[in-house]
Structures are given as structure tokens and as C-alpha cells.
């Protein structure tokens, strides 16, 4: 069976996950659900990055032990993922024994084979990003190029990972594997970064304690990125004595994807593959870097006070509209903006008007004119019929091409073009006029079948993004959940449909003025 392994970044436990990080997880969930529908045995991993100075500092501020802080945050994050309908197969935490034991072994192995060596680090460090920075990377000599915050000076004995040794091999690998880093613009950024020459990476710290101690020299803790990146293997049981998942999903797997935000591209595109090369683990993954969810004012930030938490939106407007909005608003690799105004507009137009109305109008007509049952027609009755069938096939093809490459926005655009085509087909065929003419009963039945087929196909395609909505629509079409499969993603896959007597309102229209009054958005 074809397999697919999909990972999110693991989230820092220093604060609650907001709508921006949630985007990473929701996008990976969409990708995972898409692959499952497509027949892949899919393993979807997410988790928490629980070590490091930032978390130690946060715990100190709250007068808690780091462990109790990360326990709390892990619990609330796992709960959040349940509420967001995230279908992860595992939730790895870097403070777990199954993880840190292997990280220690990885470190010792790299040390023993000379890929890690002891030296002294003197330079600049960004605590929020847990990143060592070279002089050339700093903005105005002291600010982090990624988050813009002021860096600190550190001088300490440190272990280093020999990056230079692998630089050429990595560059060659990237050039020979065009899909390794996507999208293209990000790949080019990585190539030019490597071409400037890599400096060996400092991989341990002595100035704080909250981390995994180096086994052979415990005054050092392992630098968080070496610790964190390893989660993608430790979760699969790599080197644990029980590595069935590792063999199945990595070594012998069909597809492996790491999905990350653009800000952590370098760690995944350079340090991680070099670690794997040093460990002689085959590079099986493709790396997809997504953009950022921005607010009107730019970045979300606690100090500006514009941080949006996903459950605020879900509690007001439901889960699927949020998942839909985030996925539809972000184009591959670029940033997207979250505003309530735009959210409500998309909700009203795409969901309430276009999709919701199509479903409820069609089901009502099937009840009114056909006692709720339609059968597959054996003939075409209108010039539009064949065109509609062709349109369905084209949309499915493009949707799959788009979703395969993480271009969800393009894929959903296609799906909505089919929703639009279905609504237009109603205007063209005028079913209520056909209903009045006894000679047109077969034509009417054919029109309604084609409409239901368009809805059914749309339902399968939106299922990765809006799983609850897809289940409801399928139920309304009188089909059980086994019909949610790409095996039935074509016109005519179902012969008969007996629809529900009373369609529910899937998306109740919102009034922007009222929402502004209610919530002051
Ligand atoms: O970077 N829009 O953790 P993290 C979209 N622990 N994505 C966003 C975002 C936004 N506004 N804000 C954050 C870390 N993200 C490390 C990862 S992986 C081995 C270790 C994304 O909690 C960000 O781009 O700071 C990143 O992909 C993810 O959330 C985790 O961020």
C-alpha cells in the first residue's frame, strides 16, 4: 500500500498556539486527509518543542517549573487540536523519554564519528528564535533577521556540528532533486544561503539547564534545534528497538513531507538534511514552506494586542468556516491576511450563498419533484449536459494536481468553479418549468441527478478542508461515509440517491454590521 508521512513543525511551549501556528496544523491536516481519501496509508505527526531558554525564561516568569509549564501547554494544545478536528496519529513531546533518549544517542554517535566537536562559541543569539546568528545575518548589527528582536551576546564552550563537510553534498542534492524544497523561490533562497558558505553550527549550550543533557558531558544541554528536528524520526521509533513505523513510513515509505513556515526554512533545508547525512539516514522528505497569516497591522503580536486565537473564531462562527477561510486565503508560499471583515465576506459569498444554497435548493427540488429519489439517467437532454460532465472531470483533475503540490487555494478555486457551474446549470435548465410539463419528467430527473452528482463530487473534494460539512452533506444525499473516497470521485459513480426530507441550513448568513456591533471587530 502506498504510504504518506506528514509532519507539522513542533510548537514552542512558551505560550498558547494562535491562529498563525494553527494554520500550519490545519494545512497539514488538510494534506493528510487528502492523502487518506486518495488511498494513502497516512501517518500525520504533530507535537511540542519543549526545551530551550525561551521556555525556561517563560516558566521563571510564571514561577513554575519548566516541566509543569510544558505539561500545561501540551495539554491545552492537544485539546485545541481535538477542537479543530485535527486528525494527527501521534503527538510527540520533546520532554518525553522516547524522544530525549534517542536524541542523546544521536548526539553521542555524531560526536564519536567526529561530525560534532568541542569548541568555543562567541557571537550573537536570538532567544525567541533559539538561533545562533552570524554577523552578516544580523540587521543593523544586533537585530534578528527573522523576528526583528534584539539578539544577545553569548560566549561559551560549545559543541559544533560540522556543516562545511556536507555543504557541497547538500547543494548537489538540492540541485538534483527539484522537488526537495518548495516553492521554487524558497529553494533559491536556500541555495544562495549555502553558496555564501556555511559556518559550523553550535549545537550545545551551557548557560541554561532546561534541555537534554549531553550524555558524555552533562554540563552541556543539546541545542534545541538538534533536539527538535529529531522528533521527525524519534516519533517513528528510530533507533528505539521498535522501528516498525520508521521502516514503514520513512525507509520504505512512498511520500514524506515536512511542512514548515517560511521562518524556519533554513533549519529544515540545511541543518536537518546535514544531520541526516551524518547519521546515514536517507533523505526521504520533501520540504514545503508556507507563508504567514498576517493581521491588518502586519505581524500578530501580543504587544500590539492583535493576536487571534482560533477558538474565538470557532465559538462564534463554527469550525469549518475557519478551516475553509485559512486554507482558501493562503496561496502557496505567500502570506495571507486575517480580518473578520474578509472572513465574513468569504463566509457569506462562498459558503452561505454559493455552496449552502446550491445544496438546499437542489435537495428541496428533489423532494418536491421526485419524492426525494433520483436515478442515473441513460440519456442526455440538454446541450449543457455533456459540457457539465466534462467540467466535472476537468475540475477533479486540476484539483488533484493542485492539492498534490499543497496549492490548496488554487484547488479550492477549481472546486468553487464547479459550484458556480452547478448553480448556473439550474438557471439554464429551469427545473421548476420542467416540472410543470408532463413530457419533460425524464429531463427533469436527469437535471436533478446531474446536480446531485456535482454536489457529491464537490463534497468529496471539500472533505479534507471541511470534514464536518462533508459528512453532513453526504448524509443529506442519503449516502454513508464509505462514499467519501477518491474511488468515487467521478461523474456517475453513484446510481441512486435518496435525499433527506428537510435540508438543514449549512451556513446561516451573517450580517457584518451586526457582528461589528456584537464583537466590536
Ligand atoms: O518555530 N502564520 O515553533 P513556533 C503562519 N519550535 N504560520 C505561523 C505564524 C503565522 N502568523 N506564526 C507562527 C518553532 N507560524 C519551532 C519549530 S520544528 C522541528 C521546530 C508557524 O511555535 C511558524 O512558521 O515558533 C512555524 O512553522 C510554526 O508556526 C511553529 O512556530
Amino acid at each position: 500500500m502506498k504510504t504518506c508521512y506528514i509532519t507539522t513543525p513542533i510548537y514552542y511551549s512558551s505560550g498558547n498556539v494562535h491562529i498563525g501556528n494553527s494554520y500550519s496544523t490545519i494545512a497539514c491536516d488538510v494534506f493528510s486527509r487528502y492523502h487518506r481519501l486518495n488511498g494513502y496509508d497516512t501517518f500525520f505527526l504533530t507535537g511540542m518543542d519543549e526545551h530551550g531558554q525561551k521556555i525556561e525564561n517563560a516558566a521563571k516568569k510564571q514561577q513554575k517549573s519548566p516541566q509543569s509549564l510544558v505539561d500545561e501547554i501540551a495539554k491545552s494544545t492537544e485539546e485545541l487540536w481535538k477542537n479543530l478536528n485535527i486528525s494527527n496519529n501521534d503527538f510527540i513531546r520533546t520532554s518525553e523519554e522516547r524522544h530525549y533518549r534517542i536524541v542523546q544517542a544521536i548526539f553521542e554517535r555524531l560526536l564519536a564519528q567526529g561530525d560534532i566537536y568541542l569548541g568555543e562559541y562567541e557571537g550573537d543569539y536570538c532567544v525567541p528564535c533559539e538561533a545562533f546568528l552570524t554577523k552578516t545575518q544580523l540587521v543593523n548589527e544586533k537585530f534578528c533577521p527573522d523576528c526583528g528582536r534584539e539578539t544577545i551576546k553569548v560566549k561559551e564552550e560549545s559543541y559544533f556540528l560540522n556543516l562545511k563537510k556536507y555543504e557541497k553534498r547538500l547543494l548537489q542534492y538540492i540541485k538534483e532533486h527539484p522537488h526537495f524544497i518548495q516553492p521554487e523561490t524558497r529553494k533559491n533562497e536556500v541555495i544562495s544561503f549555502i553558496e555564501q558558505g556555511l559556518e559550523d553550527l553550535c549545537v550545545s549550550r551551557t548557560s541554561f539547564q532546561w534541555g537534554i543533557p549531553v550524555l558524555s558531558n552533562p554540563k552541556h544541554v543539546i541545542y534545541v534545534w538538534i533536539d527538535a528536528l529529531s522528533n521527525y524520526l524519534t516519533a517513528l521509533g528510530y533507533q528505539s528497538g521498535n522501528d516498525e513505523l520508521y521502516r514503514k513510513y520513512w525507509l520504505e515509505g512512498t511520500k514524506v513531507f515536512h511542512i514548515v513556515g517560511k521562518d524556519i526554512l533554513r533549519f529544515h533545508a540545511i541543518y536537518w538534511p546535514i544531520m541526516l547525512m551524518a547519521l546515514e539516514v536517507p533523505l526521504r522528505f520533501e520540504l514545503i514552506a508556507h507563508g504567514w497569516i498576517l493581521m491588518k497591522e502586519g505581524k500578530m503580536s501580543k504587544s500590539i494586542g492583535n493576536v487571534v486565537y482560533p477558538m474565538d473564531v470557532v465559538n462564534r462562527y463554527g469550525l469549518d468556516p475557519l478551516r475553509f477561510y485559512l486554507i482558501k486565503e493562503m496561496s502557496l508560499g505567500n502570506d495571507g491576511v486575517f480580518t473578520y471583515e474578509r472572513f465574513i465576506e468569504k463566509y457569506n459569498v462562498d459558503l452561505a450563498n454559493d455552496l449552502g444554497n446550491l445544496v438546499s435548493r437542489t435537495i428541496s427540488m428533489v423532494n418536491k419533484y421526485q419524492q426525494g429519489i433520483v436515478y442515473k439517467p441513460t440519456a442526455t437532454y440538454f446541450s449543457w449536459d455533456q459540457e457539465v460532465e466534462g467540467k466535472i472531470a476537468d475540475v477533479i483533475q486540476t484539483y488533484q494536481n493542485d492539492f498534490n503540490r499543497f496549492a490548496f487555494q488554487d484547488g479550492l478555486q477549481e472546486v468553487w468553479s464547479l459550484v458556480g457551474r452547478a448553480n448556473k446549470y439550474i438557471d439554464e435548465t429551469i427545473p421548476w418549468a420542467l416540472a410543470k410539463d408532463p413530457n419533460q419528467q425524464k429531463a427533469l430527473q436527469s437535471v436533478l441527478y446531474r446536480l446531485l452528482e456535482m454536489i457529491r463530487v464537490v463534497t468529496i473534494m471539500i472533505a479534507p478542508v471541511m470534514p464536518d460539512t462533508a459528512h453532513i452533506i453526504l448524509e443529506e444525499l442519503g449516502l454513508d461515509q464509505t462514499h467519501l473516497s477518491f474511488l468515487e470521485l467521478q461523474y456517475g459513480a453513484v446510481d441512486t440517491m435518496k435525499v433527506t426530507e428537510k435540508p438543514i441550513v449549512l451556513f446561516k448568513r451573517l450580517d457584518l454590521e451586526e457582528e461589528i456591533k456584537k464583537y466590536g471587530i
Side-chain angles (χ1 to χ4, degrees):
M1 190 179 200
K2 45 191 191 175
T3 69
C4 185
Y5 178 41
I6 293 170
T7 69
T8 71
I10 51 174
Y11 301 95
Y12 284 131
S13 301
S14 45
N16 282 325
V17 171
H18 52 62
I19 205 163
N21 331 91
S22 302
Y23 169 76
S24 287
T25 307
I26 291 174
C28 290
D29 185 60
V30 170
F31 210 36
S32 300
R33 288 175 183 272
Y34 170 79
H35 279 94
R36 290 194 191 105
L37 283 180
N38 205 1
Y40 283 80
D41 173 342
T42 301
F43 193 88
F44 169 24
L45 176 70
T46 186
M48 302 306 290
D49 188 353
E50 305 192 311
H51 293 127
Q53 192 161 4
K54 183 154 94 155
I55 290 155
E56 191 174 275
N57 293 350
K60 226 179 256 158
K61 234 192 209 160
Q62 297 177 40
Q63 295 175 320
K64 285 180 188 144
S65 69
Q67 188 65 56
S68 63
L69 174 66
V70 300
D71 286 349
E72 267 170 37
I73 302 266
K75 192 160 168 257
S76 65
T77 309
E78 236 185 321
E79 212 171 277
L80 173 66
W81 297 153
K82 282 210 182 79
N83 288 329
L84 298 185
N85 216 344
I86 302 300
S87 61
N88 56 303
N89 299 85
D90 197 355
F91 184 81
I92 183 126
R93 299 178 51 191
T94 56
S95 68
E96 285 175 289
E97 202 254 354
R98 63 164 169 158
H99 173 77
Y100 77 68
R101 190 164 59 82
I102 306 302
V103 171
Q104 286 180 318
I106 287 176
F107 197 95
E108 290 304 314
R109 171 169 169 194
L110 296 179
L111 192 59
Q113 67 192 36
D115 284 308
I116 286 181
Y117 61 90
L118 192 60
E120 188 175 64
Y121 181 80
E122 186 173 1
D124 303 275
Y125 192 76
C126 175
V127 177
C129 297
E130 300 282 15
F132 295 99
L133 298 159
T134 59
K135 283 271 170 275
T136 51
Q137 286 175 285
L138 292 180
V139 177
N140 292 337
E141 292 176 10
K142 63 175 176 203
F143 298 101
C144 171
D146 294 324
C147 74
R149 278 173 278 210
E150 193 167 346
T151 55
I152 56 168
K153 293 256 175 255
V154 293
K155 181 179 178 179
E156 54 192 62
E157 180 190 272
S158 276
Y159 287 98
F160 286 85
L161 176 67
N162 191 339
L163 298 185
K164 284 193 202 80
K165 177 171 158 193
Y166 295 97
E167 191 178 285
K168 283 215 175 72
R169 218 172 114 190
L170 177 60
L171 212 46
Q172 192 182 348
Y173 184 88
I174 295 175
K175 288 180 178 164
E176 281 170 4
H177 296 80
H179 296 302
F180 178 52
I181 301 168
Q182 300 160 52
E184 188 82 10
T185 47
R186 299 289 169 209
K187 175 170 86 179
N188 296 336
E189 271 173 36
V190 171
I191 292 178
S192 71
F193 187 84
I194 303 173
E195 279 173 344
Q196 284 165 28
L198 296 177
E199 285 178 31
D200 287 350
L201 176 70
C202 179
V203 291
S204 76
R205 303 289 310 275
T206 52
S207 55
F208 66 92
Q209 264 103 49
W210 180 239
I212 302 177
V214 172
L215 262 187
S216 55
N217 188 0
K219 75 170 191 237
H220 286 258
V221 296
I222 296 171
Y223 171 54
V224 277
W225 276 97
I226 299 291
D227 167 1
L229 289 163
S230 306
N231 91 88
Y232 303 132
L233 290 186
T234 59
L236 296 182
Y238 169 76
Q239 297 279 307
S240 68
N242 177 10
D243 65 355
E244 200 184 310
L245 294 178
Y246 170 62
R247 271 186 279 124
K248 177 173 175 188
Y249 291 104
W250 190 283
L251 285 184
E252 294 151 21
T254 322
K255 292 182 175 187
V256 179
F257 293 104
H258 295 318
I259 316 293
V260 299
K262 61 182 184 182
D263 52 315
I264 55 174
L265 175 68
R266 189 169 18 107
F267 302 96
H268 286 81
I270 300 175
Y271 308 154
W272 181 228
I274 286 182
M275 274 176 73
L276 294 175
M277 283 175 183
L279 292 169
E280 292 172 280
V281 170
L283 293 190
R284 295 301 326 281
F285 68 90
E286 287 179 24
L287 183 61
I288 298 175
H290 65 69
W292 273 50
I293 302 272
L294 300 175
M295 298 290 121
K296 264 185 281 191
E297 307 81 7
K299 268 193 180 176
M300 245 182 297
S301 119
K302 281 202 180 129
S303 50
I304 304 177
N306 62 354
V307 181
V308 176
Y309 294 99
M311 289 314 289
D312 295 345
V313 185
V314 172
N315 291 335
R316 287 181 204 172
Y317 306 116
L319 172 59
D320 279 359
L322 172 68
R323 291 176 57 111
F324 172 77
Y325 177 83
L326 292 178
I327 294 299
K328 182 94 191 285
E329 203 61 5
M330 294 284 280
S331 71
L332 179 64
N334 296 325
D335 295 338
V337 176
F338 181 90
T339 66
Y340 276 107
E341 287 86 345
R342 175 116 177 109
F343 174 87
I344 288 169
E345 184 195 324
K346 299 301 285 176
Y347 177 105
N348 281 339
V349 174
D350 290 349
L351 298 180
N353 275 9
D354 293 352
L355 178 64
N357 272 349
L358 171 67
V359 175
S360 65
R361 271 168 98 189
T362 305
I363 292 183
S364 301
M365 288 192 290
V366 173
N367 277 311
K368 198 161 162 199
Y369 306 137
Q370 300 289 320
Q371 290 80 46
I373 304 183
V374 289
Y375 303 97
K376 190 192 274 181
T378 46
T380 51
Y381 296 86
F382 295 99
S383 57
W384 306 290
D385 290 354
Q386 260 166 4
E387 182 224 315
V388 157
E389 286 175 32
K391 171 82 181 165
I392 294 174
D394 288 348
V395 166
I396 291 171
Q397 184 70 50
T398 318
Y399 161 87
Q400 289 190 320
N401 289 343
D402 291 335
F403 268 54
N404 280 339
R405 59 184 185 94
F406 212 78
F408 303 135
Q409 188 184 47
D410 297 349
L412 285 181
Q413 208 94 39
E414 278 299 308
V415 175
W416 255 257
S417 78
L418 184 57
V419 171
R421 186 66 195 87
N423 277 319
K424 190 167 160 227
Y425 184 68
I426 298 178
D427 298 340
E428 287 162 346
T429 55
I430 324 172
W432 48 94
L434 298 176
K436 289 194 188 130
D437 182 348
N439 294 326
Q440 294 284 5
Q441 290 315 295
K442 278 197 166 155
L444 173 61
Q445 133 88 27
S446 155
V447 164
L448 294 174
Y449 176 84
R450 282 171 217 278
L451 281 170
L452 286 183
E453 272 300 89
M454 282 189 264
I455 293 173
R456 186 184 64 77
V457 165
V458 164
T459 303
I460 298 176
M461 291 191 285
I462 62 170
V465 184
M466 299 198 283
D468 289 343
T469 305
H471 283 181
I472 296 172
I473 300 178
L474 215 57
E475 230 165 67
E476 296 200 324
L477 299 183
L479 299 172
D480 67 39
Q481 302 304 319
T482 57
H483 292 276
L484 265 191
S485 158
F486 281 4
L487 296 175
E488 297 192 2
L489 189 51
Q490 63 203 332
Y491 171 79
V494 167
D495 290 337
T496 314
M497 276 176 268
K498 163 131 190 40
V499 302
T500 180
E501 273 172 33
K502 278 212 167 64
I504 58 160
V505 179
L506 289 172
F507 307 100
K508 205 163 147 252
R509 266 191 79 83
L510 296 168
D511 183 293
L512 179 61
E513 296 298 313
E514 258 173 47
E515 297 307 310
I516 292 176
K517 253 191 247 152
K518 245 195 286 181
Y519 300 109
I521 50 179

